[in-house]
Amino acid sequence: MNKLNNLVDGYGRRLTYLRISVTDRCNLRCVYCMPESGVSIMKHEDIISYEDILRLVRILSRHGLNKVRITGGEPLARKGLIGFVQKLSEIKDISDISMTTNGILFDKYAHGLFDAGLKRINISLDSLNEEKFKRITRTGRLETVLKNIELAKKIGYNPIKINTVLIRGINDDEIIDFVNFARKFELNLRFIEYMPIGGNIADAVSSREIEEKIQLEFDDFKPKKSKIKYNNVSGENVYEKKLSVYDGVSRIFGFDGNDAVIGFISPMSEHFCGGCNRLRLTASGNLRLCLFYDDEYNIKDILKESDDEIVFEKISNIVKLKHFKHNFNEKTEKKGDISWANDFMNSIGG
Ligand code: SAM
Ligand code: SF4
């Protein structure tokens, strides 16, 4: 295996993490992600096949890729996901498989996915209040998601991360409720700053503002510098080696005598681009080098090459074009122009 020939961008950053959007379809219509009427969804035949994704992952895994996240749209809305996860987990050098889901359909697949190799999960949850939950997702029931978080815990998913986006005037009064919820069930809660992608609404609540509110309420709330526990694809409990106050792009905090972790993902107020190790594959089969730039490269066409090394070489040349950092603040500073991304988040996958 040629580990010397790693996938590296033009700034020498190793690209070890691929986020795969397996579908642009979704059973919810979150206000910050999709228009109420939905978006014009792709034809089935335009969505990248599992076979193509698996070949891509196999090839890149020989050149340093070791982590994948399955996302969407709603990944659980795509048929055949359990078989796909099974095959992903058989790829030797992929040591970390995760999925981001809205949790609504999770109970149907929770056991099957776990047995197939998915041992950790991120569930998005933006309100603990039924009426607000409905207002944000425009459909869907809070009770279903809460039950499914419990189910994930019972089955042994670890970590269970809860993704929460706060929208001013809607759910920004729930910060302490969310923290109490995380403490009660000892979950890993991450507040993600709202990003104005796809021409969506509203005013972001900064991580700093949330942090200060929590600090006022909990004296023992402090940056966490510890080894993070997580399950690998075989379900073994392993600990990350390095001590850090960052878990990926999330700045983490904890409490005395409680295993809850509170994380802040701050694309708007902090730059975390320097150590970026990510690539994104859209549901249409395009490689996206950064969430915030619209340049995309057609992977389905590249995969028509039968020689894996030629595929790698072509991708290797593309990733050299990855920008050093996002152009987010610059773009949002343009008054009246927040509608700058071509895609809605559902097709990119977050
Ligand atoms: N449907 C799945 C879900 O909701 O978890 C996976 C796809 S969703 C696009 C992935 C993540 O992106 C979710 O946690 C969602 O909250 C987040 N997200 C979507 N639009 C966003 C936005 N404009 N700003 C910040 N986060 C966003
Ligand atoms: Fe669907 Fe996830 Fe977007 Fe909500 S955030 S509309 S659940 S893709």
Side-chain angles (χ1 to χ4, degrees):
M1 199 132 311
N2 184 10
K3 279 285 178 200
L4 291 175
N5 194 4
N6 278 321
L7 193 62
V8 175
D9 75 4
Y11 299 93
R13 294 175 296 195
R14 285 184 55 200
L15 301 165
T16 56
Y17 178 17
L18 180 67
R19 296 169 71 95
I20 304 165
S21 172
V22 292
T23 179
D24 61 334
R25 290 163 199 240
C26 189
N27 49 346
L28 300 183
R29 292 281 178 276
C30 302
V31 289
Y32 51 72
C33 179
M34 272 207 209
E36 187 159 17
S37 53
V39 286
S40 53
I41 50 172
M42 280 172 233
K43 289 193 236 139
H44 276 296
E45 59 268 30
D46 293 335
I47 291 181
I48 187 164
S49 66
Y50 285 141
E51 291 71 26
D52 272 356
I53 302 174
L54 288 164
R55 180 161 173 239
L56 174 72
V57 173
R58 265 186 219 108
I59 294 171
L60 298 186
S61 73
R62 291 180 212 129
H63 299 279
L65 182 80
N66 54 34
K67 176 174 177 177
V68 295
R69 172 171 300 279
I70 303 164
T71 176
E74 175 46 41
L76 295 175
R78 180 158 174 184
K79 287 195 184 121
L81 198 71
I82 293 179
F84 173 63
V85 168
Q86 178 72 52
K87 291 208 166 76
L88 266 182
S89 68
E90 287 163 8
I91 301 176
K92 191 171 137 281
D93 289 307
I94 299 300
S95 55
D96 187 348
I97 302 173
S98 51
M99 183 170 82
T100 306
T101 169
N102 61 35
I104 297 282
L105 301 170
F106 185 62
D107 51 329
K108 290 197 185 76
Y109 304 103
H111 286 281
L113 286 169
F114 192 80
D115 294 344
L118 182 75
K119 304 297 177 192
R120 46 180 299 189
I121 190 103
N122 288 38
I123 298 181
S124 303
L125 176 63
D126 298 326
S127 180
L128 295 166
N129 170 293
E130 183 74 59
E131 186 254 322
K132 285 186 190 177
F133 181 84
K134 212 159 221 134
R135 197 167 152 205
I136 295 168
T137 61
R138 297 194 180 108
T139 169
R141 297 195 54 208
L142 170 64
E143 197 191 336
T144 312
V145 182
L146 294 179
K147 272 199 188 137
N148 286 341
I149 292 171
E150 245 180 88
L151 177 65
K153 209 161 168 110
K154 215 176 201 164
I155 294 175
Y157 282 89
N158 183 22
I160 300 165
K161 295 187 177 177
I162 305 298
N163 287 3
T164 300
V165 177
L166 294 183
I167 306 165
R168 205 177 292 284
I170 301 185
N171 59 350
D172 58 332
D173 58 345
E174 291 191 64
I175 295 171
I176 302 304
D177 293 347
F178 266 112
V179 172
N180 282 326
F181 174 71
R183 282 168 59 90
K184 181 168 172 196
F185 297 102
E186 301 203 315
L187 298 167
N188 188 324
L189 169 72
R190 296 121 50 84
F191 289 105
I192 305 176
E193 279 178 350
Y194 157 79
M195 298 172 271
I197 280 194
N200 47 21
I201 47 137
D203 185 9
V205 183
S206 76
S207 294
R208 201 56 74 181
E209 185 179 334
I210 303 168
E211 191 187 316
E212 281 166 13
K213 287 208 168 122
I214 303 173
Q215 231 132 28
L216 283 178
E217 200 74 23
F218 298 92
D219 292 340
D220 58 345
F221 179 67
K222 52 181 173 250
K224 197 173 167 77
K225 212 174 180 192
S226 65
K227 294 175 182 173
I228 311 292
K229 195 164 53 168
Y230 71 95
N231 286 340
N232 66 12
V233 285
S234 318
E236 295 151 354
N237 233 240
V238 288
Y239 286 83
E240 276 187 0
K241 284 188 198 91
K242 60 178 191 297
L243 286 175
S244 172
V245 289
Y246 278 89
D247 174 18
V249 293
S250 170
R251 196 161 44 88
I252 52 171
F253 285 68
F255 307 89
D256 295 336
N258 186 295
D259 272 350
V261 175
I262 308 294
F264 296 96
I265 302 182
S266 319
M268 296 296 286
S269 61
E270 261 182 54
H271 273 301
F272 49 49
C273 306
C276 185
N277 61 351
R278 298 170 173 212
L279 290 173
R280 291 177 165 80
L281 183 68
T282 68
S284 55
N286 288 335
L287 194 67
R288 199 169 168 116
L289 305 178
C290 173
L291 180 57
F292 305 101
Y293 284 91
D294 296 333
D295 331 25
E296 292 184 354
Y297 304 86
N298 188 324
I299 289 297
K300 284 195 288 192
D301 272 357
I302 293 178
L303 288 171
K304 286 181 187 147
E305 295 283 354
S306 56
D307 184 329
D308 287 359
E309 281 312 296
I310 295 180
V311 171
F312 173 66
E313 238 177 83
K314 290 192 170 182
I315 294 174
S316 192
N317 288 335
I318 290 171
V319 305
K320 294 284 182 290
L321 305 173
K322 187 169 160 70
H323 294 270
F324 184 65
K325 61 178 188 150
H326 70 60
N327 55 350
F328 211 58
N329 294 335
E330 185 191 307
K331 291 219 173 186
T332 52
E333 266 164 22
K334 283 192 201 159
K335 272 213 152 52
D337 179 22
I338 60 165
S339 164
W340 50 268
N342 290 332
D343 283 296
F344 283 90
M345 200 69 130
N346 69 303
S347 64
I348 310 170

